[in-house]
Amino acid sequence: MEQHRIRHRPQQSGPARPGRGAPPAPRGGRTAGQVPAGSRRPAATGGRPVPPVVQTLRRMPNPRLTGLGAGLFCAAVMFALGCLDQLLFGASVTAYGVLFLPVCVLTAAWVRGADLVTAPVVVPIAFTVGVLPLADGDGIPSRLMGVVTALATEAGWLYGGTLVAGVIATVRKIRLMNRRPGRTRTPA
């Protein structure tokens, strides 16, 4: 009859090895709360507190639309706002222009980085699509003339919204170009 001896290993006093009862180390060799070297974000546990406005903005949705998706989003929202303006305000093109500006901001902010150039292009097209329910006229020629008249008389809103979308897209593109890895700056 054979007796089996049970060997007891002495407990190690140093750090535990992964796979021996200790949780594995996270990828990249960092533990929770550490920030990689060269990161622009402060550590979550230390540093200065985040303002409530920034916390609210971080909770908002942040979709990334393709160029076509941004165009469809902007055109659909502007058409819906044009119909809503017709019902509530009696086809007030000024109210429509005021509602146009936030849509321009959202379109330029939500388009993905590769399609930033489409934001200032789709915004005026969407403005025109949204003016269709607001245009006066009974037939197609008279309604078309109403669209042209609305575009001419409300050109300030159209140019302003396009400018807002263009500025936001340009700033986002510059920030994306500055984040590219391997970019070296020559000292002045």
Side-chain angles (χ1 to χ4, degrees):
M1 194 164 152
E2 258 180 71
Q3 288 186 344
H4 293 282
R5 288 189 182 183
I6 299 175
R7 284 197 217 171
H8 293 283
R9 286 190 176 172
Q11 292 290 332
Q12 294 178 349
S13 60
R17 296 185 310 200
R20 301 272 186 212
R27 285 195 168 142
R30 296 187 315 257
T31 60
Q34 289 182 341
V35 178
S39 176
R40 294 181 184 170
R41 293 176 58 184
T45 58
R48 57 185 185 194
V50 179
V53 174
V54 175
Q55 290 175 350
T56 304
L57 289 174
R58 286 182 182 168
R59 283 191 301 253
M60 291 185 69
N62 192 16
R64 288 292 168 226
L65 302 171
T66 62
L68 179 62
L72 290 174
F73 163 76
C74 193
V77 169
M78 291 313 300
F79 187 77
L81 288 176
C83 292
L84 189 67
D85 183 21
Q86 174 71 23
L87 290 173
L88 297 178
F89 303 117
S92 170
V93 187
T94 304
Y96 175 77
V98 171
L99 295 172
F100 175 63
L101 295 178
V103 175
C104 293
V105 170
L106 290 177
T107 302
W110 286 352
V111 71
R112 66 183 186 166
D115 296 329
L116 281 171
V117 72
T118 60
V121 174
V122 300
V123 166
I125 297 169
F127 186 88
T128 306
V129 169
V131 167
L132 289 174
L134 303 177
D136 293 333
D138 294 330
I140 292 176
S142 61
R143 185 159 295 253
L144 183 62
M145 194 60 178
V147 168
V148 170
T149 303
L151 290 175
T153 57
E154 301 303 321
W157 294 112
L158 179 62
Y159 293 151
T162 306
L163 180 67
V164 166
V167 167
I168 291 172
T170 303
V171 168
R172 283 188 58 207
K173 185 65 174 181
I174 290 170
R175 290 182 68 200
L176 283 174
M177 288 172 43
N178 285 338
R179 284 189 202 160
R180 285 195 181 143
R183 181 184 160 108
T184 57
R185 295 184 182 173
T186 57

